Structure formats: structure tokens, C-alpha cells
Amino acid sequence: MDTTRRLDIPGARGKVEVDGVLGLLYKVRIDGTVVKRTRGAWAVPMRNGSTGRLTANGVIPGFQTLRFQGEPILTMGAHVEPAAKVAMFAPLLLIAFSFVGAMLAVVMFLTNVLLVKNPQVPAPLRIALPVINTAVMAAVLALIGVPSLLF
């Protein structure tokens, strides 16, 4: 499974790529060298001698949009169905189980992002697994006696 995407930036000097587009974290590379993000943007050298700005916006990890000079050029996670995006938030229900549930909710949410972005997982499973895993974890927390706001 290839997690590297080449960015089509006209006039860029060198090959600009994003490595890790199917994960939570990603790296921008120019001609194979990782570029550091400074002041909220990556500097992309242009053939005419100037420098372009590659920025990212978005709140959900792994679902950012990369923009070059303000124009969107890559939306990570665009292939994910809206139902799967909603299902990956199911672990937030575990917050009802105090601190233990909140910690599990964060970990499960991050693993759900990886699950729903994986194109090798069938679409029905991308929706069902986050919900099923949350229900199972809620049952386990109730069985071991973790205090809950609901019961």
C-alpha cells in the first residue's frame, strides 16, 4: 500500500511529495529530503527563484487539506465515506466512564482514523468496526466496574 503522493505544483524546482497520507502523521519531501515546517508552512523552491508556501489546514488528524499559495492541492482522507467519518467518533461515548473511558476514547479514536483511511478494508467494515469496538469496550468497562455517569 503506497502512502506517498506526489503533489502537482507547477513551477516547483524538484519533486514535491507527501509521505504518510493514509496515516495520522505525514512528511513533506522535496527531491527525497524531508522539509521542516516553519511559521506554519513548508517552503517550496520554485524554478523562477522565488519560494512558494505549502500550508495545511484541518482539525482532525489525518484529514488535513494541503494548499499551495492558498489553492487546495491535496485533501487527505477524501476517499473516506461520510458515514465512516461519523463512525470513527463512536469512542467519544466512552467519556461517560470517567477518566479511564476518556483515555480509551482518545486511543480508540486515533486507531479508528487509521482504520477508516485504509483502502484495503471493505467499506462496510470501516463503518461497523468502530461502532462494534466501542460497544465491546463499554461492556468491558461496565463489567470490570469502572464508574459511569449513566449507571
Side-chain angles (χ1 to χ4, degrees):
M1 178 166 50
D2 186 27
T3 64
T4 302
R5 297 284 185 276
R6 184 171 183 177
L7 299 180
D8 184 26
I9 299 177
R13 186 176 27 169
K15 184 170 68 168
V16 183
E17 298 175 322
V18 179
D19 185 24
V21 294
L22 294 178
L24 291 170
L25 305 174
Y26 55 92
K27 297 179 231 173
V28 174
R29 296 179 185 202
I30 299 176
D31 287 334
T33 304
V34 176
V35 180
K36 298 277 185 194
R37 188 175 185 176
T38 55
R39 294 186 183 179
W42 294 272
V44 178
M46 306 301 284
R47 284 187 214 129
N48 63 3
S50 65
T51 302
R53 286 178 46 93
L54 180 67
T55 58
N57 66 340
V59 178
I60 302 172
F63 288 92
Q64 288 86 12
T65 299
L66 294 179
R67 299 175 180 271
F68 183 73
Q69 307 292 70
E71 295 295 321
I73 57 171
L74 176 67
T75 302
M76 290 184 269
H79 65 284
V80 178
E81 309 85 19
K85 287 180 184 176
V86 171
M88 75 182 183
F89 284 96
L92 291 180
L93 298 173
L94 296 177
I95 292 176
F97 286 96
S98 68
F99 182 73
V100 174
M103 296 302 291
L104 282 172
V106 170
V107 171
M108 288 179 69
F109 171 76
L110 294 175
T111 58
N112 284 344
V113 170
L114 296 174
L115 173 75
V116 300
K117 286 182 72 175
N118 189 343
Q120 294 179 342
V121 176
L125 284 179
R126 287 189 223 167
I127 298 167
L129 280 177
V131 175
I132 292 169
N133 289 341
T134 301
V136 168
M137 191 54 67
V140 167
L141 290 175
L143 285 175
I144 62 174
V146 175
S148 170
L149 300 175
L150 303 175
F151 46 86

